[in-house]
Structures are given as C-alpha cells and as structure tokens.
Amino acid sequence: MPDPVIALDLGGTVIKGAVVGGDGSALIRRRAPTLREEDAEDIVLRLGTLAMELRDEAVRLGHAPAAAGVVIPGVVDEAAGIAVLAANLGWRDLPLKDRLQTRLGLPVAVGHDVRAGALAEARWGAAEGHPSFLFVPVGTGIGGSLVVDGRTYPGAHSLAVELGHIMIDPAGRPCGCGARGCLETISSATAVASGYRALSGEDGVDARGVAERAGRGDAAARTVWDGAVEGLAAALATVVTLLDPGLVVIGGGLAGAGPALFDPLIRSLHGRLTFQHRPEVVPAALADEAGALGAAILAWRLAGD
C-alpha cells in the first residue's frame, strides 16, 4: 500500500488539507480560509503553513508523508509546477512547486483541480472501472477534464476541455473570459442564481433553490432552469461529437439537484445526438472531496507509488 501523502485543494474561499492514507482515507483533516482580499504572497504563505502543520502532525502520529500534492484552479503547468494564471487568486507565473518544496522538505506535485478531481472519481468514485470518461464539474464555474486510459489530457497548453467557455449564445451575457454567451454565463450555479434574480426581482435564492422552485411551477425559475439545462446539453453534445466519451460524470454543486438536473439533461442531450453514441451520464460520487483526493494521487505518482 502506498505511503501517506499530504493533499491540498486550494479553492476560492477555503483550502482543504488532509493527510491521506494509501487506501484513500483521510488520516488527518485541516481547513484554512483562502481570504481573497489577501495578496498572492499571503495565500501562498497560508498554504505552506497548513501543509507544514499537516506534515508535523502526521510525523507525530507515525504517518510520515512521502510527498505532497496541491491542486489549484486556473491554468497550470503541471510538469513545471507553475501556476500560470489563477485570476481569482491574483496569481500569474507563480513557481508554486519550488516554493512549497523549499518549505516542506518534501517532493511536491502541482496540478489542476478539475483534472485531479477526475482522477479521484476514476479511482474511488463514479468512474471507477472506466479508464476513459469525461468529468464536468458544474458549480460557481464550469470545468471539464477528459480522462483517456487512466490519464488526464491537459492539451498542448494546459487548456483542454474548458467546457465553460464553449460559446452557446454569441449575443449573450459577457463572460469573465472576455467573450459573450459562454456556457458559464448560462448554466453555472452563479448564472442560474443571477438569472433568477433578474427575472423575479428576488435576491438570496441559490441555484438549487431555483431548481426546487421550477419544480413547483415558478415561471421565472422554470425559464432560467430550462435555459441552463438546455445550454449544458448543447455543450455536452458538442463534446460528445468531438471526443466520443462512453461516460460523462457531472460533479459540482449543481449535481446535487439530482433528478431535476439529470432527467431533463439526459433527455435533451440524447435528443441532440443522431449518429453519435449516447453516453451514460451520472452524478459524481466524491462531492467536494474529489480535489484533495486527486491531489493525493498526484503525490503518489510523484513518489513512485
């Protein structure tokens, strides 16, 4: 069984940290706030401090870690361990691997949070037994990762399967990427909540709440929810045509809507496909643990396990 490793998942609001045993169980768990108002140096310092606390406690308990893995959002050069661009964190060309290795005294693997989450779903989650599949987390944003024969495909510039930036409506709302009408502006949890607020005038209803209201016959909620589902189905139909995945795993907060999402999504997706194979579409199994577990897998690979 592989040695324990340190796993860190850096999100927009919280850093999830754990010492993970070879069976995937968390031997130690810790969390720390990301605090977006802090600058890049402060966040890196907080990340390194949490990693050191996990390392020291693991050693004290007899679980000395062999390596560490950290996963982050944005554009990541995984081979070099560099955060090329993490706009929400204010990072650009940050040599994260070197910085953390110097503090920890352990080998450190740096990866992309969505691609790492896909690896975890393959090993312990909804894609177990499927060497090739598409992983799509739908939450604040929308990401994507293609797994082929057990390996994620990052693309030539670490930008592969940016599903959230497939253009659905060229005349649609501006997207943070600089384009208009991207899938994220229609089908993300953020877009669903803001779309409902614009139609109803009611604030404080999140995406899951919109789905529930749509099911109860709220006209504004129905309009927004149906648009989100149709947008996601259109984007998935494009990816299915290009990549032919046998399985699509939907994760992120919106997957928690259950049948309210999956039933109409599958109907709409299958209705858009003609000659293409109709993939199985299932909810992710690991929820918000996928990123950290994926970081552990990267650490084991680096350590040779």
Side-chain angles (χ1 to χ4, degrees), residues 65 90 105 250 292:
I250 307 291

Side-chain angles (χ1 to χ4, degrees), residues 31-255:
R31 292 194 175 207
T34 303
L35 301 180
R36 290 190 185 189
E37 65 271 17
E38 293 184 334
D39 62 23
E41 291 300 320
D42 288 331
I43 296 173
V44 173
L45 179 63
R46 188 180 295 276
L47 187 66
T49 299
L50 179 60
M52 292 173 67
E53 290 173 356
L54 288 165
R55 178 202 63 189
D56 293 346
E57 185 169 354
V59 170
R60 183 177 63 82
L61 295 175
H63 303 301
V70 55
V71 297
I72 61 176
V75 182
V76 185
D77 182 338
E78 296 181 353
I82 294 173
V84 178
L85 177 64
N88 289 339
L89 300 171
W91 291 4
R92 183 180 290 274
D93 296 324
L94 180 72
L96 188 59
K97 174 181 176 178
D98 291 344
R99 299 278 292 276
L100 290 179
Q101 281 187 163
T102 299
R103 292 198 68 188
L104 274 177
L106 291 172
V108 174
V110 175
H112 185 268
D113 55 354
V114 174
R115 291 195 287 270
L119 291 175
E121 288 289 344
R123 185 159 181 171
W124 294 293
E128 187 175 359
H130 294 265
S132 301
F133 66 98
L134 179 69
F135 177 55
V136 180
V138 184
T140 304
I142 299 176
S145 178
L146 178 67
V147 176
V148 180
D149 294 332
R151 293 277 176 175
T152 57
Y153 175 69
H157 305 95
S158 298
L159 291 170
V161 202
E162 283 286 351
L163 195 77
H165 299 290
I166 289 179
M167 188 177 291
I168 303 298
D169 178 8
R173 287 181 284 178
C175 179
C177 74
R180 280 186 173 272
C182 291
L183 180 64
E184 277 194 6
T185 70
I186 299 167
S187 303
S188 68
T190 304
V192 170
S194 64
Y196 181 73
R197 183 170 59 250
L199 278 184
S200 69
E202 185 175 351
D203 204 355
V205 182
D206 63 12
R208 295 270 292 273
V210 173
E212 292 168 1
R213 290 181 180 213
R216 296 198 298 265
D218 182 315
R222 184 81 269 163
T223 297
V224 173
W225 186 251
D226 287 351
V229 171
E230 289 299 313
L232 183 56
L236 287 177
T238 297
V239 177
V240 167
T241 301
L242 292 173
L243 302 177
D244 186 31
L247 175 71
V248 177
V249 178
I250 307 291
L254 221 59

